[in-house]
Amino acid sequence: MAEAPRICFLIPYFGRWPFWMPLFLESCRRNPDIDWLLFSDCGLPEGLPENVRVEPIDYASYCAQVSARLGINFAPENPYKLCDLKPALGYVHQEHLKGYDFWAFGDLDLIYGRLREYFTTARLARYDLYSTHARRVSGHLCLIRNTDTMRRAFMRMPRWQERLTDQTHHALDEGAFSRLFLWRKNFPDPLFKLVGLFNPLRRRSEFVEAFSTPDGCIPWLDGSFDFPRRWFWKEGQLSNDRDAAREFPYFHFAIWKRGTWSGRPLPAPSAIDELARCPAWVVSEDGFSQWT
């Protein structure tokens, strides 16, 4: 059997770890043959899995490293601007990627399922970029082959130096970077596919909807906007209350985080720590709870 490609997620994050961090880390732990490298000033979380490393660095020093690597003045006042940097992370941190076949960028506001069941060895043999959205690069999780060409692909974005050095958040990962791979993405499907045949980057990339971000603008599996209301994580496997027979690679709860959760008091850290030690839990509009 072919050896599974090695994968490393690169995630810079500054300020304060989100309250659900123990659950995020537990979902990483259940993917022991995939690595995560976080650059942060948040300190070392307790119970850090062996496959998750945190490189301590303050925000100003991190921006200085990016500036030196890219030859620009990267000095955003708001760390949210780091989202624009995602397509360049493989180039910025290429010294950390030796021995890896793929690097990935992503977010912390999600829970992983069994990633290898989705990103199988056979699947990863076919393409150089894997997006879990059908018509844009998925900023919350995107895999990119660790080659010089793909590490430098972001440099094809128009005015990338200018757009990285201003203070505006341009959503470059899902915008300008997407357009390198997806020409005329708003064309009707037959024309969209035809245009893609003439784009070398598109021919070497996979854009398949993984249905991991409900309550957004993308219809669900049945074409409706009737989304799952409860997601179940059990010893690494992820499912929901609408698609019992289907296993999902991850759940991105951004909509609930910005919506129903935003006005509620944070749960006690001890409660989240205890929940992370349970073999199964539920994620819903009400937050996180034990699944019994």
Side-chain angles (χ1 to χ4, degrees):
M1 294 179 61
E3 184 177 352
R6 294 193 65 202
I7 301 169
C8 181
F9 281 80
L10 301 171
I11 303 179
Y13 188 91
F14 297 88
R16 184 177 182 180
W17 296 124
F19 75 84
W20 59 80
M21 192 65 177
L23 303 174
F24 171 86
L25 292 174
E26 184 60 26
S27 73
C28 294
R29 190 192 312 276
R30 297 291 182 151
N31 289 278
D33 56 352
I34 296 176
D35 294 332
W36 279 261
L37 176 56
L38 312 181
F39 303 89
S40 182
D41 61 356
C42 299
L44 295 180
E46 292 186 11
L48 199 66
E50 291 184 1
N51 59 328
V52 180
R53 291 177 293 149
V54 176
E55 184 166 302
I57 185 170
D58 63 79
Y59 181 61
S61 297
Y62 184 79
C63 291
Q65 286 188 9
V66 172
S67 297
R69 182 65 186 136
L70 297 181
I72 61 175
N73 180 27
F74 184 77
E77 296 173 1
N78 190 334
Y80 189 59
K81 175 72 172 178
L82 290 171
C83 292
D84 281 346
L85 189 65
K86 287 177 179 178
L89 289 175
Y91 183 84
V92 170
H93 297 296
Q94 61 181 289
E95 71 278 5
H96 293 95
L97 296 175
K98 294 179 181 178
Y100 288 102
D101 303 288
F102 286 88
W103 62 278
F105 57 76
D107 294 331
L108 298 185
D109 57 348
L110 49 80
I111 297 296
Y112 299 108
R114 298 193 298 174
L115 290 174
R116 290 289 188 183
E117 294 298 308
Y118 185 83
F119 294 112
T120 63
T121 298
R123 189 173 202 160
L124 293 182
R126 299 179 63 190
Y127 299 108
D128 293 335
L129 180 142
Y130 295 83
S131 171
T132 56
H133 282 324
R135 295 223 176 184
R136 70 175 183 270
V137 167
S138 44
H140 41 268
L141 194 155
C142 181
L143 267 62
I144 302 176
R145 192 172 298 278
N146 187 27
T147 63
D148 187 63
T149 296
M150 295 305 295
R151 288 192 300 267
R152 293 174 178 267
F154 75 96
M155 295 181 180
R156 303 188 189 192
M157 295 188 298
R159 301 181 294 109
W160 68 268
Q161 296 99 328
E162 174 187 337
R163 297 162 92 178
L164 281 177
T165 53
D166 66 22
Q167 295 295 325
T168 303
H169 172 237
H170 296 285
L172 294 180
D173 51 346
E174 298 194 347
F177 192 60
S178 288
R179 288 190 285 274
L180 297 179
F181 300 85
L182 301 177
W183 296 345
R184 305 294 189 267
K185 71 173 188 173
N186 293 323
F187 273 15
D189 200 52
L191 284 177
F192 171 66
K193 291 180 178 178
L194 178 62
V195 169
L197 296 176
F198 296 92
N199 182 348
L201 285 176
R202 176 68 184 94
R203 294 197 303 268
R204 292 292 304 162
S205 56
E206 179 188 85
F207 286 80
V208 173
E209 185 59 49
F211 298 99
S212 292
T213 309
D215 286 11
C217 59
I218 298 172
W220 201 240
L221 282 157
D222 59 1
S224 76
F225 285 87
D226 181 17
F227 298 108
R229 308 321 307 169
R230 289 159 58 85
W231 287 73
F232 309 107
W233 185 94
K234 183 176 182 181
E235 297 181 338
Q237 296 188 46
L238 187 64
S239 59
N240 62 51
D241 59 358
R242 280 217 52 197
D243 313 285
R246 185 182 180 112
E247 188 174 338
F248 291 81
Y250 68 100
F251 168 43
H252 184 216
F253 47 78
I255 303 297
W256 292 344
K257 179 190 73 174
R258 294 194 295 263
T260 59
W261 296 1
S262 61
R264 297 176 181 170
L266 297 180
S270 59
I272 296 297
D273 288 339
E274 182 178 352
L275 186 60
R277 291 192 289 270
C278 294
W281 12 277
V282 180
V283 191
S284 73
E285 291 172 295
D286 297 322
F288 297 90
S289 59
Q290 187 172 354
W291 183 25
T292 56

